[in-house]
Amino acid sequence: MMSLGDEDWLPHMEDLEAYISREELVSIFPNLTNDQANYILTVLSSIHNGTINPQASAEPVPPEHASCNVGFRDSYKEIHGYLAVVICVLGSITNVLNMIILTRREMINSTNTILTGLAVADFMLLVEYSSYAASYIRGQEDMFDSYYHSVFILFHAHFTQVTHTIAICLTITLAVWRYIAICKPHLNLFLCTLPRAKMAVLIAYVISPILSVPNYLMYSIHQKYDKRRNESLYHVDFSERAKNGPLQTVHFWLYSVIIKILPCILLTILIMFIIRAMYIAKKRKENLIKMGTPSMESDRKLPRMEKLTEKTTKMLLTVLMLFLVTELPQGILSLLSGIFGHAFFVQCYHHWGEVMDLLALINGAVNFFLY
């Protein structure tokens, strides 16, 4: 874990000495990180301003929370911006190609319509995140910054939440489409039509901003006056509604259960049914051929069917694993943040934020190739 050296202490030492002497601070926190220093300053400032009552019963923080900070974030965040920009650029190009191919006249059908909606959502997510990653490279990811950059960070938090929710909804919709086509083929022509696919895409784009309303209320721009620089600094943090009410807990539960964990469970169940139905159909076909006298044409079709079944099965398993690896950790950490509160969010969730972002970007960049 990277610790604060002499130069790293300088930006924080003057503020910290307003609450505790330099000798005591160094002896108590010899390996304090930048993130921890910022957090201590925030808490001490809140106590000093009277927004936190130190005599009040504090929320219990399990000691194992400290184990979440393994020093990984301090080293990884130095390369996160570069990795994110590369993935965003390549993913944006592939998603544009996907949209061009899938909207050709001969390619238009219900499944490709859903894939097109998914490609649009992934494209918007990757383009927006590329600008955030560029500012990350320039070192503007610090907590305090200009007002305009804080506005951009706030927009980034809301926009990525909405577009990612759209992609999740469309992924589940596509899984339902394939479940009906394989497990309920007699309903396929009636339910999986082009107009219904367009309606499903529209609903995903409309309902996702609504589901993200708690996220809009969670964060706001805060101002702090810097005595050393003699200017006001701005940063994005939890709003007063989130700090002084149940909004934070409601948001974490909604985000983790409804948007993350529940889709993972649904996708797992649907893909299990799809794979089971595919193998049942394959065995039925083999039994019919064994019972009769297979023609040469049937002999040629069976190997092709086996290859198609194997290819589709691997693709579905890859989709499932990628979705679970991307979404389930976020869902679990968000759920634990709802249970343990703000302390867990700061000490655990925050330390793995960039890694989870990178997984989401990879998912958006390679989604089409899996289908």
Side-chain angles (χ1 to χ4, degrees):
M1 178 175 64
M2 295 178 62
S3 61
L4 291 176
D6 294 337
E7 296 181 357
D8 293 324
W9 274 98
L10 293 178
H12 304 287
M13 185 59 70
E14 182 177 343
D15 292 330
L16 289 170
E17 284 185 321
Y19 308 99
I20 187 171
S21 67
R22 181 182 298 241
E23 292 78 11
E24 292 177 328
L25 191 66
V26 174
S27 63
I28 297 174
F29 303 114
N31 296 315
L32 198 66
T33 65
N34 268 304
D35 290 336
Q36 293 167 339
N38 282 329
Y39 179 67
I40 291 174
L41 280 175
T42 302
V43 174
L44 292 176
S45 177
S46 299
I47 295 175
H48 178 72
N49 295 330
T51 57
I52 294 180
N53 182 6
Q55 303 300 326
S57 57
E59 182 179 2
V61 181
E64 59 267 20
H65 288 184
S67 63
C68 295
N69 183 12
V70 295
F72 175 78
R73 182 175 186 265
D74 290 328
S75 55
Y76 170 73
K77 67 181 182 180
E78 297 179 1
I79 62 173
H80 172 73
Y82 299 98
L83 290 176
V85 167
V86 172
I87 294 173
C88 288
V89 171
L90 295 178
S92 298
I93 295 173
T94 57
N95 278 290
V96 168
L97 295 176
N98 295 339
M99 289 184 279
I100 294 174
I101 295 173
L102 295 174
T103 53
R104 296 176 62 182
R105 184 183 299 273
E106 63 273 16
M107 294 292 293
I108 295 178
N109 55 49
S110 60
T111 300
N112 287 346
T113 298
I114 299 174
L115 285 172
T116 302
L118 181 60
V120 172
D122 288 336
F123 173 76
M124 292 191 298
L125 172 65
L126 293 168
V127 168
E128 195 282 331
Y129 199 96
S130 64
S131 58
Y132 170 75
S135 70
Y136 205 101
I137 294 175
R138 293 197 300 269
Q140 295 180 344
E141 79 281 8
D142 294 337
M143 188 177 184
F144 301 104
D145 213 326
S146 68
Y147 176 78
Y148 295 106
H149 188 261
S150 296
V151 171
F152 168 71
I153 294 298
L154 193 62
F155 169 79
H156 164 76
H158 298 330
F159 186 82
T160 53
Q161 172 69 28
V162 171
T163 52
H164 193 57
T165 303
I166 293 172
I168 292 174
C169 292
L170 293 178
T171 300
I172 298 300
T173 302
L174 189 60
V176 172
W177 236 248
R178 284 182 167 165
Y179 168 78
I180 295 174
I182 295 176
C183 300
K184 307 289 183 182
H186 58 284
L187 299 176
N188 186 40
L189 294 178
F190 172 70
L191 295 178
C192 301
T193 62
L194 182 59
R196 291 181 185 274
K198 293 180 179 179
M199 181 61 65
V201 173
L202 178 62
I203 291 175
Y205 274 82
V206 171
I207 197 175
S208 295
I210 298 176
L211 290 175
S212 302
V213 167
N215 194 65
Y216 309 150
L217 304 176
M218 274 285 293
Y219 305 100
S220 61
I221 297 176
H222 297 260
Q223 179 182 5
K224 178 185 177 181
Y225 185 75
D226 188 344
K227 297 179 182 179
R228 291 180 287 103
R229 296 171 57 178
N230 194 27
E231 62 179 343
S232 295
L233 301 178
Y234 300 86
H235 68 279
V236 176
D237 200 353
F238 290 112
S239 64
E240 294 302 321
R241 298 187 190 91
K243 292 179 179 178
N244 302 321
L247 176 61
Q248 187 174 155
T249 302
V250 172
H251 170 264
F252 281 129
W253 279 89
L254 174 68
Y255 179 77
S256 62
V257 177
I258 304 298
I259 300 181
K260 295 295 181 180
I261 296 179
L262 183 59
C264 289
I265 295 175
L266 289 176
L267 188 62
T268 302
I269 295 173
L270 288 172
I271 289 185
M272 287 175 60
F273 275 114
I274 292 172
I275 294 175
R276 179 176 177 270
M278 290 168 56
Y279 277 106
I280 289 176
K282 174 186 173 183
K283 293 297 182 182
R284 184 182 296 115
K285 180 70 174 179
E286 291 176 347
N287 291 335
L288 289 174
I289 293 176
K290 291 178 181 178
M291 292 171 58
T293 304
S295 61
M296 293 181 60
E297 182 179 359
S298 298
D299 287 336
R300 289 193 299 268
K301 284 184 177 180
L302 184 57
R304 288 199 299 268
M305 183 184 66
E306 291 176 348
K307 291 180 180 179
L308 179 60
T309 300
E310 182 180 357
K311 180 180 178 181
T312 307
T313 301
K314 290 181 179 180
M315 179 269 294
L316 289 172
L317 290 175
T318 305
V319 171
L320 171 62
M321 294 306 299
L322 181 59
F323 189 86
L324 292 180
V325 169
T326 302
E327 307 300 335
L328 196 56
Q330 297 184 46
I332 293 175
L333 287 177
S334 297
L335 182 61
L336 293 176
S337 298
I339 296 174
F340 294 118
H342 180 69
F344 185 90
F345 177 81
V346 172
Q347 297 177 15
C348 289
Y349 188 99
H350 186 63
H351 285 285
W352 298 97
E354 289 88 358
V355 176
M356 292 185 290
D357 284 351
L358 191 70
L359 291 175
L361 294 177
I362 293 174
N363 189 24
V366 305
N367 242 340
F368 176 78
F369 296 105
L370 299 176
Y371 290 104

